[in-house]
Amino acid sequence: MEELVYKKQNSYEKAPDKTAAAFEFAKDYMQFLDSSKTEREAVDTAIEAAVKAGFTPYTLGDKVAAGDKRYLNNRGKSLILFRVGSESLDLGARITAAHIDSPRIDLKQQPLYEADGMAFFKTHYYGGLRKYQWTATPLALHGVVIRADGESIRISIGEDAGDPVFYINDLLPHLAAAQSKEPLATAIKGEDLNILCGSAPLAEAGDDPIKRNVLKLLNEKYGITESDFVSAELSVVPATGARDIGFDRALIGSYGHDDRVCAYPALRAILDTDDTTHTQICVLADKEEIGSMGVSGMQSAVFSDLVDELCLALGANPRVCRAASVCLSADVTAAYDPNFASVYEKRNSAIVGCGVAMSKFTGSRGKSGSSDASAELVGRIRRMLDGAGVVWQTAELGKVDEGGGGTVAMFIANRNIDTLDIGVPVISMHAPFEVVSKVDVYSAYEAFKTFTK
Ligand code: MN
Ligand code: MN
């Protein structure tokens, strides 16, 4: 009877021996989170780890040979790491694909203005965020400015204890009677997300003395002028770092778990594996939160170009290689939350602590926008995970017709590569401070590492 019935079990019951390793792994992951608040920073952190593991840079067109460990840095915004196996690429590659961009608030190209004793930046939010969550909380400024002279200036303000932070004003409850009656979606509007960035005027500056003071300080520190914002990518993200949550320290609270909580285990899996037979590829993509478009998104031809180039260099057929390849689309799913039980279908939801969650399909309104993996592929991955003793579960993102979401899976599957979604369940996904379970992060690492073999 025990074997007849499927029973979801949490990692603590099913594999208590893994808990200590999971808590250790979480320490490394939390360091990665704090040093990787944007896709550019995640690329830098990942390259640093890859170089330590013996990976070397690769450019399209380079020669490659079995045993090579290389990385393709795509414009500093996305990264593809690969290990060339001894087996022919006609037998396919093992691919993991996660994304390293997260919802945030970007500065506009003419951002700085002054109004009534304060200076602000105008913004346009990036990805699906609940705007009210981003007010009245400390924010850090990250990004890059390409100056008129072509010089690239990196900016990161608000992360060190002595740094100033930035802020989005909200209304005091005393005057919020009308605002409090508005729906959550419209109480704070897109154009209300203005970043407070100064309030001291520059003496004898004429018009807009506070704005001019901000510009003077920026010029002193970075050599930039107001026109340089035109060629900048500046974002505000929560200034808080990753922290343990709860008396038992079993959860991690942080900005950006979606999708660094899958990107980091996927990265570590390809760095740590001792498999030399299979060719492995790990994609850390940008732009997932806004549709995976553009040169650094998963829809970019760079991924297919790399597979083509590897096959060309190693005497394999890229079409045959893709048809024989398998991909784990490593992205987060929603964790079942008893506080908001009505939007979930509990039997098919991911439960915190029950391991990495496999989603045969994603999408919304009748699976629309999902690549819906085949039963054969799910069967193959399921056998692999069970064979290696990985704690895993299945997931569906909420009730039918309640909403939904997508991942990069379809963009890989469209290239004739068998692809299955699997990732870590997240509480309060897309919030400035999201929550995951340490044992779930570790089970993702175990799943990706098993997959490389
Ligand atoms: Mn995601
Ligand atoms: Mn997301």
Side-chain angles (χ1 to χ4, degrees), residues 85-310:
S86 55
E87 190 177 83
S88 165
L89 261 174
D90 283 341
L91 297 170
R94 312 274 164 100
I95 304 159
T96 52
H99 68 92
I100 47 175
D101 61 319
S102 297
R104 61 175 191 239
I105 300 176
D106 288 346
L107 267 57
K108 295 193 187 193
Q109 299 323 113
Q110 304 285 350
L112 186 60
Y113 70 100
E114 173 177 340
D116 307 304
M118 292 176 270
F120 298 96
F121 289 129
K122 290 301 296 177
T123 66
H124 195 138
Y125 64 96
Y126 173 97
L129 50 85
R130 309 189 75 193
K131 300 176 190 84
Y132 73 91
Q133 293 179 334
W134 292 71
T135 65
T137 188
L139 300 167
L141 182 69
H142 289 247
V144 63
V145 182
I146 307 302
R147 271 190 338 215
D149 62 3
E151 189 81 17
S152 172
I153 311 289
R154 292 295 283 259
I155 291 180
S156 172
I157 308 170
E159 298 296 344
D160 295 332
D163 279 1
V165 293
F166 302 90
Y167 191 77
I168 298 172
N169 301 358
D170 200 357
L171 208 45
L172 59 169
H174 316 65
L175 296 175
Q179 188 208 41
S180 298
K181 291 194 183 86
E182 290 248 0
L184 282 177
T186 54
I188 300 289
K189 296 175 182 65
E191 293 292 353
D192 296 338
L193 297 175
N194 302 315
I195 309 296
L196 180 59
C197 65
S199 76
L202 184 65
E204 295 161 24
D207 292 343
D208 292 339
I210 300 170
K211 170 181 166 175
R212 280 165 199 259
N213 197 23
V214 168
L215 286 171
K216 178 171 171 276
L217 292 168
L218 284 172
N219 187 263
E220 283 168 3
K221 182 140 191 212
Y222 301 107
I224 59 176
T225 64
E226 189 174 12
S227 68
D228 292 329
F229 283 118
V230 168
S231 47
E233 280 178 5
L234 292 167
S235 308
V236 291
V237 297
T240 43
R243 300 288 294 266
D244 288 345
I245 290 191
F247 293 112
D248 54 19
R249 297 176 171 262
L251 304 168
I252 308 167
S254 175
Y255 165 69
H257 281 313
D258 178 7
D259 182 34
R260 295 177 191 122
V261 73
C262 298
Y264 183 71
L267 169 69
R268 277 285 300 270
I270 195 169
L271 300 187
D272 295 351
T273 185
D274 51 15
D275 181 277
T276 55
T277 308
H278 308 99
T279 293
Q280 298 140 31
I281 304 177
C282 172
V283 185
L284 303 180
D286 181 29
K287 297 281 181 280
E288 192 279 340
E289 296 294 354
I290 58 169
S292 298
M293 314 296 280
V295 284
S296 54
M298 196 67 233
Q299 299 201 61
S300 162
V302 68
F303 173 71
S304 287
D305 287 351
L306 173 67
V307 173
D308 290 354
E309 284 293 325
L310 292 181

Side-chain angles (χ1 to χ4, degrees), residues 194-452:
N194 302 315
I195 309 296
L196 180 59
C197 65
S199 76
L202 184 65
E204 295 161 24
D207 292 343
D208 292 339
I210 300 170
K211 170 181 166 175
R212 280 165 199 259
N213 197 23
V214 168
L215 286 171
K216 178 171 171 276
L217 292 168
L218 284 172
N219 187 263
E220 283 168 3
K221 182 140 191 212
Y222 301 107
I224 59 176
T225 64
E226 189 174 12
S227 68
D228 292 329
F229 283 118
V230 168
S231 47
E233 280 178 5
L234 292 167
S235 308
V236 291
V237 297
T240 43
R243 300 288 294 266
D244 288 345
I245 290 191
F247 293 112
D248 54 19
R249 297 176 171 262
L251 304 168
I252 308 167
S254 175
Y255 165 69
H257 281 313
D258 178 7
D259 182 34
R260 295 177 191 122
V261 73
C262 298
Y264 183 71
L267 169 69
R268 277 285 300 270
I270 195 169
L271 300 187
D272 295 351
T273 185
D274 51 15
D275 181 277
T276 55
T277 308
H278 308 99
T279 293
Q280 298 140 31
I281 304 177
C282 172
V283 185
L284 303 180
D286 181 29
K287 297 281 181 280
E288 192 279 340
E289 296 294 354
I290 58 169
S292 298
M293 314 296 280
V295 284
S296 54
M298 196 67 233
Q299 299 201 61
S300 162
V302 68
F303 173 71
S304 287
D305 287 351
L306 173 67
V307 173
D308 290 354
E309 284 293 325
L310 292 181
C311 289
L312 192 68
L314 296 159
N317 179 332
R319 291 173 199 88
V320 174
C321 171
R322 276 192 280 273
S325 293
V326 179
C327 176
L328 295 184
S329 163
D331 203 348
V332 299
T333 188
Y336 176 80
D337 190 337
N339 296 290
F340 302 99
S342 68
V343 301
Y344 297 94
E345 193 269 280
K346 193 172 176 180
R347 286 182 192 84
N348 285 285
S349 292
I351 305 289
V352 163
C354 293
V356 68
M358 182 197 290
S359 299
K360 183 176 180 299
F361 55 87
T362 60
S364 54
R365 302 176 314 281
K367 301 190 181 181
S368 181
S370 169
S371 52
D372 201 353
S374 71
E376 288 82 356
L377 177 62
V378 174
R380 179 174 167 188
I381 301 300
R382 174 189 159 190
R383 277 195 302 282
M384 174 196 87
L385 296 176
D386 286 339
V390 177
V391 181
W392 64 278
Q393 57 182 326
T394 61
E396 181 175 10
L397 200 156
K399 271 184 180 166
V400 175
D401 289 342
E402 192 70 46
T407 66
V408 299
M410 61 183 132
F411 307 121
I412 301 159
N414 287 351
R415 299 173 209 249
N416 194 28
I417 296 172
D418 265 319
T419 305
L420 176 62
D421 276 299
I422 183 166
V424 175
V426 177
I427 301 164
S428 304
M429 195 197 296
H430 284 205
F433 202 67
E434 306 170 302
V435 180
V436 299
S437 157
K438 289 181 182 177
V439 292
D440 294 342
V441 181
Y442 188 67
S443 97
Y445 169 63
E446 286 196 313
F448 302 147
K449 199 161 168 207
T450 300
F451 178 65
T452 62

